[in-house]
Amino acid sequence: MLEAKEDGQGVAVIDINNDGLLDIYVSEALKKDPQQRANLLYVNQGIDKDGIPHFKEMAKEYGLADTGQSTQTVFFDYDNDGDLDAYIGTNEI
């Protein structure tokens, strides 16, 4: 299951680990405390026997727990190495 936060600013749906399952990256901006506005990466763990998808928050593990005031993030393979790179747009509020 996925627990949503009410203050996310932007969402990117990507396959961060190339496992064929879509993952969710949420950009955060509104909290004043930087530790409370860290971006979130929900990595898809698959679908259970009841057909319900499960996600695990893993932004720190992937180096994507950015605490800037992120408004949107796009992922693309900038350096052509086969891995996704992140461009994080920020706006100081």
Side-chain angles (χ1 to χ4, degrees):
M1 299 296 281
L2 180 65
E3 182 178 322
K5 291 180 73 173
E6 73 282 352
D7 58 350
Q9 294 297 295
V11 174
V13 178
I14 40 86
D15 182 4
I16 196 75
N17 53 8
N18 292 319
D19 64 357
L21 301 172
L22 291 177
D23 309 303
I24 304 166
Y25 188 70
V26 181
S27 299
E28 298 285 343
L30 298 179
K31 303 273 187 193
K32 296 235 182 251
D33 179 4
Q35 296 310 310
Q36 290 183 349
R37 69 169 178 255
N39 292 348
L40 305 166
L41 172 64
Y42 295 104
V43 177
N44 194 327
Q45 304 297 298
I47 298 173
D48 69 14
K49 64 179 176 58
D50 297 320
I52 299 171
H54 290 266
F55 295 84
K56 181 179 180 183
E57 202 291 306
M58 300 182 72
K60 285 183 185 177
E61 291 86 343
Y62 280 83
L64 292 169
D66 185 78
T67 59
Q69 292 173 317
S70 304
T71 56
Q72 183 64 49
T73 302
V74 294
F75 291 84
F76 56 98
D77 187 6
Y78 176 78
D79 53 6
N80 238 359
D81 65 356
D83 295 325
L84 289 175
D85 302 301
Y87 179 83
I88 300 174
T90 61
N91 182 23
E92 194 167 329
I93 298 173

